[in-house]
Each structure stands twice: as structure tokens, then as C-alpha cells.
Amino acid sequence: MKKRSQLALLLVLAAQSAAVHAHFPLMSCWLESDKVICKAGYSDGSDAVKYDVDMFDYDDNLVSRVITDKRSIAEFDMPDTDFYLVFDAGHENPVEVDVVEIEEK
């Protein structure tokens, strides 16, 4: 009986842990003049302060890396090449935004 109680407790704790960590990273990007601006965060509405956002060219070369500021904003100079942006918060699925998805704000 004691083992069943322990197993039940472990299952409850695992379920609660999964629910707490169920939020996932989000990032929206837009163009302003000669800048690419991205706002990073999480699906639960929390900010992503002091996280890397990487810019890669289509050959997967790192073009630039910016750390999000206190508003969860990463700001890049517009490169001379096509690019995509990656916000990897250490979750299973990093966020990728391709240049073709970015519009003027």
C-alpha cells in the first residue's frame, strides 16, 4: 500500500510540474526603417529578459546575436542578406521567424 501512495504522489507531482512548465516561447518581429525589431516572451504573458536572439543567413551562418533588453526587445541592423531569427529559450522548440514573415510596422 505504501508503494501505491508513493506512486500516486509522484504522478500528482509530475502532472503539476508539467502544468507549470507548459508555457512556450513566442516572438514577433517587425521592420522599422533600417532595423529589425523582435519582441520575445512566453505564452503565459511573461517577458523574456536577457535572452539571446540570433540572426542567421540562409547558409546557417550566425550574422548577429542580440540579448533582449528589459522590455524583452531585441533590435538588429538590417543585413544585406536574407535571414531568419531564432529565439531559443531552452525549450524543445525554439521560435524561428523568417525574413519573408516580417512586415513594416
Side-chain angles (χ1 to χ4, degrees):
M1 188 68 172
K2 186 174 182 179
K3 285 192 178 212
R4 282 189 184 182
S5 298
Q6 289 173 341
L7 180 59
L9 178 61
L10 285 174
L11 289 174
V12 168
L13 291 175
Q16 287 176 344
S17 176
V20 169
H21 293 89
H23 63 276
F24 52 90
L26 302 171
M27 183 169 68
S28 61
C29 301
W30 61 93
L31 303 175
E32 285 186 16
S33 304
D34 59 344
K35 301 284 186 186
V36 179
I37 314 291
C38 296
K39 169 90 171 151
Y42 297 94
S43 59
D44 66 355
S46 61
D47 291 332
V49 177
K50 295 184 181 178
Y51 279 88
D52 291 341
V53 178
D54 296 326
M55 178 184 281
F56 293 96
D57 65 17
Y58 283 175
D59 292 322
D60 295 326
N61 298 307
L62 181 65
V63 174
S64 183
R65 172 174 287 148
V66 173
I67 297 173
T68 57
D69 64 16
K70 64 183 177 184
R71 302 168 299 148
S72 298
I73 299 289
E75 185 174 317
F76 297 88
D77 291 327
M78 179 65 84
D80 295 332
T81 185
D82 288 335
F83 62 91
Y84 65 96
L85 299 149
V86 178
F87 167 46
D88 186 352
H91 293 70
E92 291 180 19
N93 299 314
V95 178
E96 291 188 14
V97 177
D98 193 87
V99 65
V100 298
E101 301 173 62
I102 303 173
E103 298 180 358
E104 290 276 339
K105 187 168 187 180

